[in-house]
Amino acid sequence: MPELLLEVGCEELPPSFVRKGFEELQANVTSRLQEAGISFGQSTAMGTPRRLIVQVLDVTERQPDVQKEQRGPALSVAYDSSGHPTRALEGFCRGQGVNVDQVRKEADHVWITKTIHGKPTVKVLSELLPESIRAITFDKGMRWGTHRMRFPRPIRWLLASYNGAAVPFDMDGITSGLQSRGHRLYFPEPFQARSLQELVTGLRERQAEPDPAKREQTIRDQTPKVATGKPEMSPELVQENVFLTEWPTATQGAFREEFLELPAPVLVTAMAKHEKFFPVRNSEGQLTNCFVSIRNGGVEDIVRNGNEWVLNARFNDAKFFFDEDQKHSLEFFLEKTKGIIFQDRLGTIHQRAYRLAELAMEVAKATGASEEEIEHARQAGLYAKADLSTGLVSELPSLQGAIGSEYARRDGLPDPVAWAIRGQYELSLNEKIDCEGARTAVRLIIADQLDRLAGYLGIGQAPSGSSDPYGLRRAATLLIEAALRWPARFDGYAELAERARESYLGQGAELTPVIPALSEIFASRYEAIFESARHDLVEAAVRHDYVGQADELDPQGVRFRLKVLEQISIDVAFVQTATRPQNIVTAAVNKGIAFAFPNPLQTLSLKALQSADGEKLAKLASGAAPAIGNAVNAEKPGELISHLKKLEAPVNQFFDTTMVMVEEEDIRAARLSLLHGVHLLFREAGDFSKVVIPGATTK
């Protein structure tokens, strides 16, 4: 069956735009074919910096005919008193292209069954393809020349073929056809292609490989062969080179050996991040003065010489700043941060350094650190941002943390401190937190994000809609991930967030309370973090009820409750029982009815209950509380469920025999206090009122 081929040719796209572009174009085309009722088979997408290509196989040649029911005028309007058609009915029939005798009477109106004939696919494609191109969403777009449409780079040609023939359409003066182009330098002349096979063959003959997987394999094969050592080929850098080139060719170059005196992060950053070159190491793992670049054309010697010149020039600048930095200590650079503003209302980086030092110590204490690790956290917080005032970071901003770490080691700071200063930007929270340096780094990350959140939320800069200019949602996500990866239990961030705010207040800043806004941001992140879990169970694990605690600020608690709920929510009878105490106490709270709120089971008078089943439930609940607490602290879902299920029958028995909302205030208060205490025990597993029971209806 017919093949559809679309190629959007343009100036070189940024590397990060290429895969997104051809994948989204594929999705746009196929979804619109479905909406148009045109059936099709397998689809393929690929691309280079200069082209986005989509192929769809087995595309039917026309839309199917559709039967449509159309209502006409009311019977009283369609026919006169003699039963003859009126002008209104005749006009309706003319408009629909049918005869009056094709009308049928149903209920109070006339109806027709109208056949809408499908359009030829090529005609549909003439509208569908330009819509699909315009619908690609890029972070940035541009206009060029007199064109009005926006695209990341100027579009130069449009190849659109269906069943071997051109699909005619125009996009802002750019007319589609059957022509493509090869490599910009070597084969700029257009050539014709009517199918993907013809296009791919023609491109490869003209030194343009359209398949990213083949370009990647070429890079992975060639780079080690030309390198006089082991090239450092990170997946990210390989992918970037894949989408920087159409015909990748590996070439080794070298920079002046004197620059090997620079810190390794400077060398690697300049080569990999700035120039997209692969650093080369020797057999001992040390950096050599060689690098491998992936060229997209040009004479090899000329390209190599140009790369070497650029890299030597960059290293020469870096060495100047490095030599100047060597004249000063990290303490000197910390002092210089007095001249760097963090935020107008939140002070300088220097003030922030002392907040981070204090807060990192508090985080260390909250996470069970030794005295030595508490001191390491303090030092890491104090010097974490000192390198922002160094010459090297001013020249190469992406070296933040890496340079601070190098200078910390130079100044004799403990290795975990240097480790943490670098790890605050580079540590993957997917790694195990199993050494002193990693623990210190995560504590610094926590302090850094809490300080940022407390400051910006305290001056009213909470995210709104899609706007989050200060990255506060990302900061909250980092805090949640840090807590979930931490190897031991700690109590979450509520108290630490207050400490962060107090540090600002101690420096004279004016901040409003931050817990409500912080809780809202945290609550919004869990659904994405626990994306495989049921939404209602995630909401139940976060807990929002009359108790009023900031439970969302305890990520480890949310995770534990979610594990419990995933096991126990299938027991519908238990879920219904667990919601009974909460429902009646919530109603009492809303009505302002008094009862013992803190420590209800400990302060409860059994005699005041005036209920034998109430006394039995109270004794059982009080006896179960320590075991329930132990199960929660040890994070043992099975044990918690076992203890909670022992309360199920006594709770139902109490409700079956005892009226809670009696007239006598002291009896009512005692019974509400009992149910409040029981709810607090059930609540350790989550807010059961949020659990959706299949088949249940909500009022």
Side-chain angles (χ1 to χ4, degrees), residues 455-699:
Y456 283 108
L457 294 178
I459 60 173
Q461 297 297 320
S464 176
S466 61
S467 175
D468 186 12
Y470 303 109
L472 302 188
R473 293 190 182 103
R474 174 59 180 158
T477 300
L478 282 173
L479 289 174
I480 294 172
E481 290 175 346
L484 296 180
R485 298 299 302 176
W486 193 259
R489 181 78 173 99
F490 72 95
D491 293 333
Y493 295 116
E495 186 174 341
L496 290 171
E498 283 295 336
R499 294 291 181 90
R501 178 172 177 267
E502 290 168 5
S503 292
Y504 277 102
L505 298 178
Q507 292 180 346
E510 297 182 2
L511 301 185
T512 60
V514 300
I515 294 297
L518 186 60
S519 297
E520 184 176 343
I521 295 176
F522 265 63
S524 70
R525 310 317 296 160
Y526 285 115
E527 188 172 311
I529 289 173
F530 299 116
E531 59 182 350
S532 61
R534 279 171 43 186
H535 295 175
D536 62 316
L537 298 188
V538 174
E539 188 178 359
V542 173
R543 300 191 308 198
H544 283 286
D545 58 11
Y546 66 84
V547 178
Q549 298 174 354
D551 296 316
E552 49 273 276
L553 298 184
D554 178 15
Q556 291 181 339
V558 172
R559 176 183 60 188
F560 171 69
R561 291 189 290 274
L562 184 57
K563 289 180 180 178
V564 175
L565 288 163
E566 286 176 335
Q567 296 181 38
I568 205 171
S569 61
I570 59 174
D571 188 339
V572 173
F574 176 83
V575 172
Q576 292 173 330
T577 297
T579 60
R580 297 182 76 180
Q582 178 182 359
N583 290 341
I584 197 167
V585 176
T586 299
V589 169
N590 292 337
K591 294 177 181 178
I593 299 174
F595 58 89
F597 205 85
N599 305 314
L601 295 178
Q602 291 87 336
T603 59
L604 180 65
S605 168
L606 296 182
K607 290 185 179 180
L609 289 169
Q610 298 290 302
S611 165
D613 288 321
E615 291 185 25
K616 180 180 178 181
L617 176 59
K619 292 176 181 178
L620 185 61
S622 297
I628 289 173
N630 291 336
V632 172
N633 292 333
E635 293 194 339
K636 294 183 176 180
E639 287 189 15
L640 177 60
I641 291 171
S642 176
H643 292 304
L644 292 179
K645 283 199 170 185
K646 293 176 183 177
L647 298 174
E648 181 178 6
V651 167
N652 288 329
Q653 180 66 23
F654 173 74
F655 275 106
D656 290 343
T657 62
T658 308
M659 174 71 72
V660 177
M661 304 302 286
V662 295
E663 293 294 331
E664 297 86 344
E665 291 185 5
D666 55 341
I667 298 176
R668 182 179 63 206
R671 292 175 181 177
L672 286 171
S673 299
L674 168 61
L675 293 178
H676 173 50
V678 171
H679 169 60
L680 292 180
L681 297 180
F682 282 135
R683 193 177 186 272
E684 295 290 359
D687 183 350
F688 285 98
S689 69
K690 301 293 193 304
V691 177
V692 175
I693 298 174
T697 58
T698 56
K699 295 183 179 179

Side-chain angles (χ1 to χ4, degrees), residues 142-178:
M142 63 179 290
R143 294 188 180 95
W144 62 98
T146 59
H147 296 276
R148 299 181 61 185
M149 72 170 292
R150 297 183 67 86
F151 207 72
R153 294 293 184 269
I155 295 176
R156 295 307 187 198
W157 73 89
L158 295 166
L159 187 159
S161 167
Y162 174 66
N163 202 17
V167 178
F169 63 88
D170 180 276
M171 288 186 63
D172 200 14
I174 306 166
T175 304
S176 63
L178 294 174

Side-chain angles (χ1 to χ4, degrees), residues 387-405:
D387 65 357
L388 295 179
S389 65
T390 65
L392 262 181
V393 171
S394 297
E395 174 70 8
L396 300 171
S398 59
L399 288 173
Q400 292 176 36
I403 293 305
S405 177

